[in-house]
C-alpha cells in the first residue's frame, strides 16, 4: 500500500476558449485564474423557489477564490468536453445536494473581473442557467458557508451591506431575461 504522502491529486483542468466561446485548449484551474487570466469556459446557475425568491450561497471560507462572499446559487467550470448544462446540474447537486425541477439556458456573458482580495482574475466565457427548486438544500460545508432565499428588494439591501463575488452583478444582469422567463414578471427580477 503506498504511503499517503506519495499519492498525488490530478490537477483540475479547465477548457480555454476564444472570444466566440470556441474551445482552443486546456489549462490547470489555478493557472488559468492567475493574472492576467486566461479566457476559459464557466457557468453560473440561478435557482428560485416557487415564490420567485433567488437562492444565494455564501462561499465557504476554505475556498481559495472569493472565500466567504455571497454569490449566485452555484457557479463553476465544466470539465474539458463536458457540456455546460451537464456541469451546472452536476455541481448544483454536489454543492447544494439538490436537483432543480426546471433548469434552462439563460444566455452567455464574457467578462474580466480581477479579485482584489486574492489577486486572481476571472477571465470567463460564462454560460448562464435559471431554474426552479422545490427541495430543501443540503449544502456541502466545504463548498457553501450559508444560503439564503431573497426577493429583489432583499438582494439589493444585502448587496449594499455584505461582500459579494466580483462577478455576481455581471452574471445576474446578463441572466435577467432568462430569469424572468422562469420566474414570471410578478417576481420582479
Amino acid at each position: 500500500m503506498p504511503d499517503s504522502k506519495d499519492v498525488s491529486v490530478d490537477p483540475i483542468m479547465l477548457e480555454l476558449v476564444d472570444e466566440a466561446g470556441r474551445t482552443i485548449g486546456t489549462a490547470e484551474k489555478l493557472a488559468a485564474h492567475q493574472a492576467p487570466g486566461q479566457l476559459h469556459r464557466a457557468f453560473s446557475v440561478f435557482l428560485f423557489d416557487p415564490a420567485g425568491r433567488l437562492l444565494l450561497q455564501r462561499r465557504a471560507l476554505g475556498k481559495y477564490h472569493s472565500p466567504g462572499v455571497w454569490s449566485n446559487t452555484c457557479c463553476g467550470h465544466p470539465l474539458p468536453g463536458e457540456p455546460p448544462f451537464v456541469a451546472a446540474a452536476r455541481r448544483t447537486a454536489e454543492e447544494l445536494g439538490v436537483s432543480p425541477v426546471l433548469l434552462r439556458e439563460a444566455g452567455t456573458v464574457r467578462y474580466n473581473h480581477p479579485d482584489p482580495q486574492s489577486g486572481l482574475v476571472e477571465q470567463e466565457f460564462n454560460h448562464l442557467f435559471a431554474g426552479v427548486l422545490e427541495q430543501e438544500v443540503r449544502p456541502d460545508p466545504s463548498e457553501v458557508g450559508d444560503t439564503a432565499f431573497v426577493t429583489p428588494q432583499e438582494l439589493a439591501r444585502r448587496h449594499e451591506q455584505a461582500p459579494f463575488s466580483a462577478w455576481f452583478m455581471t452574471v445576474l444582469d446578463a441572466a435577467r431575461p432568462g430569469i424572468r422567463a422562469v420566474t414570471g414578471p410578478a417576481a420582479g427580477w
Side-chain angles (χ1 to χ4, degrees):
M1 181 172 193
D3 186 310
S4 63
K5 293 179 205 164
D6 296 334
V7 176
S8 63
V9 175
D10 289 333
I12 298 171
M13 302 302 288
L14 305 183
E15 210 171 73
L16 300 179
V17 299
D18 65 15
E19 292 293 332
R22 293 180 297 251
T23 302
I24 58 170
T26 60
E28 189 276 325
K29 183 178 178 181
L30 185 56
H33 287 90
Q34 291 174 336
Q38 295 175 283
L39 184 59
H40 59 275
R41 193 174 311 285
F43 65 83
S44 291
V45 177
F46 297 87
L47 295 180
F48 297 83
D49 68 9
R53 297 179 307 159
L54 171 61
L55 174 60
L56 296 176
Q57 74 155 274
R58 186 171 57 80
R59 294 168 61 83
L61 292 174
K63 303 281 270 185
Y64 77 91
H65 191 347
S66 302
V69 301
W70 288 94
S71 199
N72 47 291
T73 307
C74 179
C75 56
H77 307 92
L79 300 171
E82 182 181 31
F85 183 91
V86 172
R90 174 180 57 80
R91 287 301 294 159
T92 299
E94 291 170 356
E95 289 187 17
L96 297 161
V98 296
S99 296
V101 295
L102 168 72
L103 187 63
R104 62 172 284 175
E105 293 182 12
T108 60
V109 64
R110 194 266 196 244
Y111 53 81
N112 177 1
H113 286 299
D115 176 27
Q117 292 276 78
S118 67
L120 300 174
V121 177
E122 289 292 359
Q123 271 282 8
E124 294 187 331
F125 188 92
N126 198 310
H127 297 260
L128 309 170
F129 299 93
V132 176
L133 181 63
E134 293 182 350
Q135 300 170 271
E136 186 174 325
V137 296
R138 298 178 315 278
D140 175 348
S142 69
E143 297 284 348
V144 180
D146 198 3
T147 61
F149 281 98
V150 296
T151 65
Q153 297 77 20
E154 292 164 341
L155 173 61
R157 283 193 297 277
R158 187 179 291 256
H159 194 259
E160 288 176 4
Q161 299 168 355
F164 272 72
S165 63
W167 62 87
F168 177 75
M169 287 309 293
T170 300
V171 294
L172 175 63
D173 288 343
R176 282 186 195 272
I179 288 170
R180 284 190 288 273
V182 167
T183 62
W189 295 100

